[in-house]
Amino acid sequence: MVASAAVPRRAAWQSGNAASAAGAGITPSTAPSPVRSGRETPRPAVPRAPVRWSSAPPGALDLLGHARRALAEAGEATAPNERYAAAHLAALRTTAAVLAARARPEQEKPGRRRAPRSAWQLLPEVAPELTEWAAYFASGARKRAAAEAGLPNAVTAREADDLIRDVEVFTTLVIRLLGLPPLTVMPENG
C-alpha cells in the first residue's frame, strides 16, 4: 500500500508540516499556492510526461468529467445540503472512474451470486492505496442521503465546504493515480 496516496488530510501543505503533506499525497509542487496579501501567487509549471487522453479508458474520462461538473455544481450551490450532496456525488463518480479503469470482472461460481457491493467497498480492492479515502467517503453516505432528502440541518455549511475541498484533493489524486494530465479543461465527448 502506498501511504502517500491513502490519507485524506486537509491543508497539510498550509501547516508547514512536510510529513503531513507527504502523507496526504501533496508536495510543494502540487499544493495550492499560499495566499499572500490577499493574492494568490502562480505555481511554477511542473514538467510532466505527455499523456494522451486516448490512453485512458473512455468510461473513466467521462466519469471524471461528470465528477468535475458535480464539483462545480457543489461550488455554485448555496444551500449546505445541496453542496454536500453534489460533492459526495463527485467523489462517487471519481471512485467509479477508478473502478472503470482498474476493475476486472470476477469469475462467478455456478449457482452462487454475490450480494451487490457499494463502490466504497470495491475501491480498496482495485486501488488499495485509496482505502482510507473509501472509508472516509463511505462514512458520509448517510449524511448525503439525509441531505438529498432535504432534512433540515442534515449538514452544516462547514461540513459541506470541507467535503468539497476533500473531494477536490481526492479527484486530483485519482487523476495522478490514473496517469492523466491535470484536468483544467475536459475534452469534449461528441
Side-chain angles (χ1 to χ4, degrees), residues 105-171:
E106 290 182 350
Q107 298 294 329
E108 289 190 26
K109 295 177 183 170
R112 293 185 94 184
R113 270 195 102 134
R114 289 185 81 164
R117 296 187 297 162
S118 76
W120 309 124
Q121 293 170 322
L122 295 171
L123 184 61
E125 293 177 17
V126 299
E129 61 273 82
L130 299 176
T131 298
E132 286 84 2
W133 283 102
Y136 172 69
F137 291 124
S139 70
R142 286 183 188 229
K143 276 191 180 187
R144 183 187 110 207
E148 286 177 332
L151 297 178
N153 302 319
V155 296
T156 65
R158 175 156 185 174
E159 288 172 322
D161 291 341
D162 288 347
L163 185 64
I164 289 170
R165 280 189 297 274
D166 291 341
V167 173
E168 287 171 347
V169 171
F170 178 63
T171 302

Side-chain angles (χ1 to χ4, degrees), residues 31-56:
S33 299
V35 177
R36 292 187 180 100
S37 305
R39 292 189 169 156
E40 289 190 28
T41 56
R43 289 190 302 176
V46 177
R48 300 186 189 280
V51 177
R52 295 180 184 204
W53 283 105
S54 61
S55 66

Side-chain angles (χ1 to χ4, degrees), residues 15-28:
S15 68
N17 184 343
S20 294
I26 300 172
T27 63

